[in-house]
């Protein structure tokens, strides 16, 4: 759509910021891009490039309605406020409807139809809210970010191990940059009606992760798989409170059940190229933290 206005929420966050950069890289004029943030200070780089920065908060519907005036297509990046997300997303969807937005692209969770992942409920409910709103939408069911692991690369290397309870559960993770590029492809594509994409890269388990880190860093890192109770104890000893430890362990249990694995080729299809490999994301993280 030539001359459409594209808005991205969470543009001060990792994924939203990458999505705005990707829109610019794809040649969308900066004046056609709206970056929605809570704080302008975090995106001075985008303002300097001519992006229309607007301030809104998911908890304040009036600010959302004002920020979405004139917007044709919206990338609704899921909020980071777990537990409050359904209400927040519902506010954004209602504001988009009022503003006459013609497409919402929403970043949900992989396998939303059948996952037991403890984070899934709010994403499933948001997809339901989108359907009920009757506004055309694309659900991007994102798998794990590879960065969930590579952000802890230095820690793994120092400890010589990754500890978890995911067993041989496989994870179709991909980099945030790939998910952002896929989100922009979904935002820009010419298609009618609602669509759902299951997004993930090549699957690996935590044994493979340790092996790949060992290969790339030359440090000896192994994966130590623990029974769930022992993993919860280990997390508590490392400083997490009971609830946090149980939550983190439940994420691994979900991985062990296969919730974060997909053989879908949707990510590759949206990107028009293979997803970035695990080895390359680790290599990049290593350089970044060197
Ligand atoms: N797939 C995965 O592995 C994975 C991992 C982590 C998170 N996620 C989900 O994916 C989303 C994007 O990931 P990310 O790495 O970009 O997260 P992030 O860096 O934490 O960014 C979250 C964004 O949400 C914004 N936000 C939070 N509360 C808001 C509110 N009340 N009103 C308006 N904006 C609000 C934040 O704004 P401020 O900058 O003002 O705080 C920030 O821009 C996360 O929010 C979360 O839902 C997925």
């Amino acid at each position: 759509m030539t001359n459409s206005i594209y808005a991205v929420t969470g543009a001060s966050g990792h994924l939203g910021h990458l999505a705005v950069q990707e829109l610019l890289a794809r040649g969308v004029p900066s004046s056609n891009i709206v970056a929605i943030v809570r704080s302008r200070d975090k995106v001075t780089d985008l303002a300097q490039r001519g992006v229309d920065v607007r301030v809104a908060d998911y908890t304040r519907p009036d600010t959302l309605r004002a920020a979405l005036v004139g917007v044709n297509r919206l990338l609704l990046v899921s909020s980071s406020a777990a537990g409050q997300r359904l209400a927040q997303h519902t506010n954004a969807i209602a504001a988009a409807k009022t503003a006459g937005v013609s497409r919402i692209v929403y970043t949900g969770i992989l396998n939303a139809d059948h996952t037991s992942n403890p984070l899934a409920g709010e994403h499933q409910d948001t997809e339901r809210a989108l359907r009920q709103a009757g506004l055309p939408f694309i659900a991007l069911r994102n798998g794990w970010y590879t960065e969930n692991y590579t952000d802890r690369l230095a820690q793994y290397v120092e400890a010589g191990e990754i500890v978890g309870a995911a067993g041989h559960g496989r994870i179709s993770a991909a980099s945030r940059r790939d998910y952002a590029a896929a989100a922009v492809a979904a935002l820009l594509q010419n298609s009618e009606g609602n669509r759902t994409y299951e997004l993930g890269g090549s699957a690996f388990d935590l044994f493979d992760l340790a092996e790949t880190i060992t290969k790339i860093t030359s440090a000896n890192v192994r994966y130590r798989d623990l029974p769930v109770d022992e993993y919860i104890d280990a997390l508590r000893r490392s400083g997490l409170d009971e609830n946090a430890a149980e939550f983190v362990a439940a994420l691994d249990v979900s991985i062990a059940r296969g919730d974060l694995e997909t053989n879908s080729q949707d990510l590759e299809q949206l990107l028009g190229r293979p997803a970035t490999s695990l080895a390359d994301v680790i290599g990049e993280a290593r350089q970044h933290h060197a």
Side-chain angles (χ1 to χ4, degrees):
M1 277 175 45
T2 39
N3 261 333
S4 285
I5 304 292
Y6 302 95
V8 177
T9 65
S12 55
H14 294 91
L15 188 72
H17 195 267
L18 286 167
V20 174
Q21 287 176 319
E22 176 71 14
L23 279 165
L24 290 165
R26 298 264 307 237
V28 175
S30 57
S31 53
N32 288 32
I33 304 173
V34 174
I36 299 180
V37 295
R38 284 193 289 189
S39 158
R40 282 181 192 280
D41 302 349
K42 291 190 178 175
V43 291
T44 48
D45 61 318
L46 300 180
Q48 271 162 15
R49 294 181 72 180
V51 171
D52 182 358
V53 176
R54 301 184 187 172
V55 174
D57 191 311
Y58 292 137
T59 62
R60 294 181 47 212
D62 54 324
T63 63
L64 291 165
R65 283 192 293 272
L68 290 172
V69 167
V71 169
N72 301 104
R73 293 184 181 182
L74 168 65
L75 172 57
L76 173 57
V77 173
S78 55
S79 170
S80 46
Q84 297 156 46
R85 291 193 281 197
L86 177 60
Q88 294 190 355
H89 297 161
T90 304
N91 287 342
I93 294 163
K97 207 170 170 184
T98 304
V101 167
S102 61
R103 173 183 299 173
I104 295 184
V105 176
Y106 171 70
T107 62
I109 191 163
L110 187 64
N111 295 324
D113 288 332
H114 54 83
T115 183
S116 63
N117 188 289
L119 287 165
E122 292 174 301
H123 293 297
Q124 294 161 333
D125 290 344
T126 301
E127 284 193 21
R128 219 165 283 130
L130 281 163
R131 220 163 279 121
Q132 279 165 8
L135 194 157
F137 73 94
I138 295 178
L140 299 177
R141 294 178 172 173
N142 288 352
W144 248 203
Y145 298 156
T146 311
E147 288 88 344
N148 294 346
Y149 299 106
T150 54
D151 283 353
R152 299 165 68 195
L153 187 60
Q155 193 184 316
Y156 297 151
V157 166
E158 198 191 322
E161 64 176 10
I162 299 167
V163 182
H168 285 280
R170 291 166 69 72
I171 306 154
S172 302
S175 69
R176 280 197 190 91
R177 191 169 292 129
D178 282 355
Y179 288 121
V184 166
L187 204 59
L188 297 178
Q189 79 185 5
N190 291 317
S191 65
E192 297 290 322
N194 300 344
R195 294 204 58 166
T196 297
Y197 292 99
E198 303 282 353
L199 300 182
S202 299
F204 56 86
D205 65 21
L206 296 182
F207 294 94
D208 300 327
L209 175 66
E211 202 176 296
T212 311
I213 291 174
T214 297
K215 243 182 237 158
I216 287 170
T217 63
S218 309
N220 201 8
V221 176
R222 65 179 199 115
Y223 173 54
R224 184 154 62 94
D225 193 58
L226 296 177
V228 182
D229 289 351
E230 285 180 33
Y231 185 40
I232 292 172
D233 283 345
L235 289 166
R236 278 211 312 254
R237 281 197 304 278
S238 76
L240 294 194
D241 66 33
E242 182 74 31
N243 284 346
E246 283 181 7
F247 179 76
V248 171
L251 294 175
D252 267 18
V253 171
S254 166
I255 291 171
R257 286 197 199 110
D259 289 336
L260 270 305
E261 182 179 9
T262 183
N263 57 13
S264 158
Q265 298 301 303
D266 287 351
L267 179 58
E268 194 165 319
Q269 192 222 312
L270 276 176
L271 292 174
R273 59 166 170 83
T276 311
S277 69
L278 173 63
D280 282 350
V281 184
I282 293 171
E284 227 178 87
R286 187 183 177 214
Q287 281 188 339
H288 190 71
H289 298 293

